Amino acid sequence: MGFQLGKNSMKNMEGIDDRLIDIAELAITLSPIDFGVPSDGGWRSEICQAKLYNAGKSKCDGKNNLSYHQSGKAIDLFCLTPEGAASWDVHDLTTAATAMLQASAQLGHELKWGGLWKSWQDYPHFELRD
Ligand SMILES: [Zn+2]
């Protein structure tokens, strides 16, 4: 479809596992919807993780309960509407997730999508399992 990851998204992926970067870079070319990586969507320090926990944006406190983001094994996405607005709409994120899962399968990396979790759904979130 001709999308590519923007400069900010590339910067926000610094420090994460190369496999996740490869998946995201392939997925954006497969995706019918544009997407990006927010500033706290890549690698996180313990302090950054604790801030998100305290703000109610994550279930992991960063100390006793570690996030995959702290080991660089997770990535969060947001979608972009044709008008260029950020979207966390479940339908939009599901469309992007389909491209992410297709890309991971093509590259042979096992990727878990938070939108398929049973207890609660974390639609913007993807993590590597190995
Ligand atoms: Zn996440």
Side-chain angles (χ1 to χ4, degrees):
M1 298 287 172
F3 295 120
Q4 60 178 33
L5 292 169
K7 269 186 198 160
N8 287 336
S9 292
M10 295 304 291
K11 187 171 176 292
N12 294 336
M13 289 196 295
E14 281 175 11
I16 64 170
D17 194 297
D18 286 341
R19 290 170 294 175
L20 281 175
I21 297 174
D22 289 346
I23 290 168
E25 285 189 319
L26 177 57
I28 193 74
T29 69
L30 303 171
S31 177
I33 189 166
D34 198 6
F35 62 78
V37 182
S39 60
D40 56 12
W43 178 82
R44 292 176 192 158
S45 65
E46 182 182 322
I47 292 170
C48 174
Q49 185 62 43
K51 270 186 195 162
L52 290 170
Y53 175 77
N54 290 330
K57 291 180 177 175
S58 176
K59 306 255 183 205
C60 303
D61 65 7
K63 194 164 191 175
N64 300 309
N65 190 2
L66 297 182
S67 163
Y68 273 64
H69 287 280
Q70 291 174 265
S71 55
K73 296 276 176 73
I75 189 171
D76 292 344
L77 303 180
F78 63 96
C79 289
L80 287 157
T81 67
E83 293 75 32
S87 166
W88 284 266
D89 177 84
V90 171
H91 179 263
D92 289 346
L93 287 168
T94 302
T95 302
T98 304
M100 287 290 283
L101 293 170
Q102 185 183 342
S104 70
Q106 284 186 21
L107 294 168
H109 307 313
E110 190 184 350
L111 189 73
K112 295 286 180 190
W113 175 38
L116 292 174
W117 290 350
K118 289 191 178 75
S119 49
W120 63 286
Q121 285 74 46
D122 190 355
Y123 291 99
H125 178 95
F126 302 82
E127 63 191 35
L128 285 175
R129 288 289 168 84
D130 55 8

